Amino acid sequence: MRLVIVGAAGRMGRTLIKAVHDHPAFLLHGAVDRAEAAEIGQDAGMLAGVPSLGIAVTSDPLPLFATADGVLDFTVPEATLHFATLAAQARIAHIIGTTGLSDEDLRKIALAAHHAPIMRSGNMSLGVNLLAALVKRAAASLGDGWDIEIVEMHHNRKIDAPSGTALLLGEAAAAGRDVTLADVRDSGRDGITGPRKPGAIGFAALRGGTVIGDHQVIFAGHGERIELSHRAEDRSLFAQGALKAALWARGRKPGLYNMDDVLGLNTLSS
Ligand code: NAD
């Protein structure tokens, strides 16, 4: 499967180049980043710490998309919308890991998914997606008497909060309670906030150092607490999930898919 990696010079981009290089089912077809990026023109393999691949990082995705089977995209929302349009035109699978997408962005991505398969997930790891299924089940079983709080910590370069994974877990908790996250979400408490709103799903975001991604979902009841947590120890686990998604999405009919579809977790979460 010929894959184009966009955001190739980024933390995830470099991890993806290495993962594609190491996996016999994939061929790195192209590496794309912003025109202003210092890495334009550099060899993708050298960037990722593997032998030279003879593929220079470019800022022109068009000729690459026209001849590829799929795109791996861990960039920024504005870029992801652009790549969704291009992938839809080329009718190739678009695997989106970018977080911080607005509701309006998601609507545009859903439109692009009429023309090509799009798999989007705020977290591509098996562990986190299984955790989401467990959170949904716990929220459904425990009922409204238990307060749900989601705590996450990431490295000091992360630009969005709460993390895409925290929101994914919040969506799972909300689904378990049969409510919409937007109606109960409580992020960024500060000052005289008053007592906790009944039924709220709270978020707290910590930032520091090089933490790849820690998430904890706390169910706080009367005199007892349940804490479900996940720690990512290596970015390559997200890359492995993205590659699994690419193979799964190849040749699939147009539509918007998530990691539950790829991992077959839908039956577990109900
Ligand atoms: P990063 O800042 O290291 O990398 C982003 C890259 O995208 C940079 O190289 C940047 O130059 C490039 N980029 C920006 N605009 C571009 C454009 N118009 N065209 C081409 N390239 C462009 O960030 P990162 O840590 O690699 O994370 C990237 C995204 O992936 C974030 O949204 C992050 O939250 C998300 N992420 C998701 C998962 C997951 O499993 N879904 C895991 C880790 C990170």
Side-chain angles (χ1 to χ4, degrees):
M1 184 173 187
R2 292 162 300 172
L3 293 176
V4 177
I5 296 175
V6 295
R11 278 174 289 263
M12 276 306 299
R14 292 171 197 237
T15 310
L16 287 161
I17 293 169
K18 180 167 184 338
V20 166
H21 170 261
D22 291 347
H23 198 306
F26 300 102
L27 199 63
L28 183 66
H29 189 62
V32 176
D33 213 290
R34 290 177 299 129
E36 308 77 45
E39 294 83 357
I40 295 294
Q42 291 184 26
D43 185 87
M46 304 302 264
L47 269 187
V50 298
S52 167
L53 297 172
I55 291 180
V57 180
T58 170
S59 60
D60 183 9
L62 269 181
L64 297 171
F65 278 41
T67 47
D69 300 309
V71 182
L72 304 180
D73 178 352
F74 288 68
T75 57
V76 294
E78 190 192 353
T80 291
L81 291 186
H82 177 55
F83 294 132
T85 306
L86 296 185
Q89 282 164 1
R91 304 283 193 269
I92 55 175
H94 187 191
I95 310 304
I96 301 176
T98 307
T99 60
L101 294 155
S102 68
D103 289 345
E104 182 56 24
D105 295 340
L106 295 176
R107 264 191 292 280
K108 290 179 180 161
I109 287 171
L111 287 179
H114 287 132
H115 308 285
I118 297 182
M119 202 298 298
R120 184 188 74 84
S121 176
N123 193 303
M124 305 260 178
S125 91
L126 169 63
V128 159
N129 285 279
L130 181 59
L131 175 64
L134 297 173
V135 165
K136 183 177 174 187
R137 168 62 67 89
S141 302
L142 293 171
D144 292 355
W146 293 66
D147 296 328
I148 304 177
E149 294 283 307
I150 300 174
V151 184
E152 54 108 335
M153 180 158 186
H154 282 83
H155 55 86
N156 56 22
R157 312 305 296 266
K158 186 163 178 62
I159 59 171
D160 55 317
S163 70
T165 304
L167 291 171
L168 180 154
L169 294 169
E171 295 281 1
R177 281 194 167 169
D178 216 9
V179 295
T180 304
L181 181 60
D183 296 339
V184 295
R185 174 173 164 176
D186 190 357
S187 353
R189 294 187 192 105
D190 191 8
I192 312 292
T193 58
R196 192 179 196 284
K197 292 187 203 80
I201 295 179
F203 291 85
L206 316 183
R207 295 287 175 267
T210 54
V211 179
I212 290 176
D214 290 355
H215 293 86
Q216 187 182 29
V217 182
I218 303 167
F219 294 87
H222 291 287
E224 59 181 337
R225 251 176 305 163
I226 299 170
E227 299 174 355
L228 301 175
S229 63
H230 178 271
R231 288 176 206 279
E233 294 174 352
D234 188 331
R235 271 189 189 87
S236 66
L237 72 113
F238 305 127
Q240 293 309 326
L243 290 187
K244 194 184 261 273
L247 273 186
W248 181 90
R250 184 183 191 182
R252 210 159 275 271
K253 66 178 186 341
L256 195 50
Y257 303 100
N258 61 30
M259 273 317 265
D260 281 355
D261 299 312
V262 175
L263 299 170
L265 290 174
N266 283 317
T267 47
L268 264 181
S269 57
S270 54

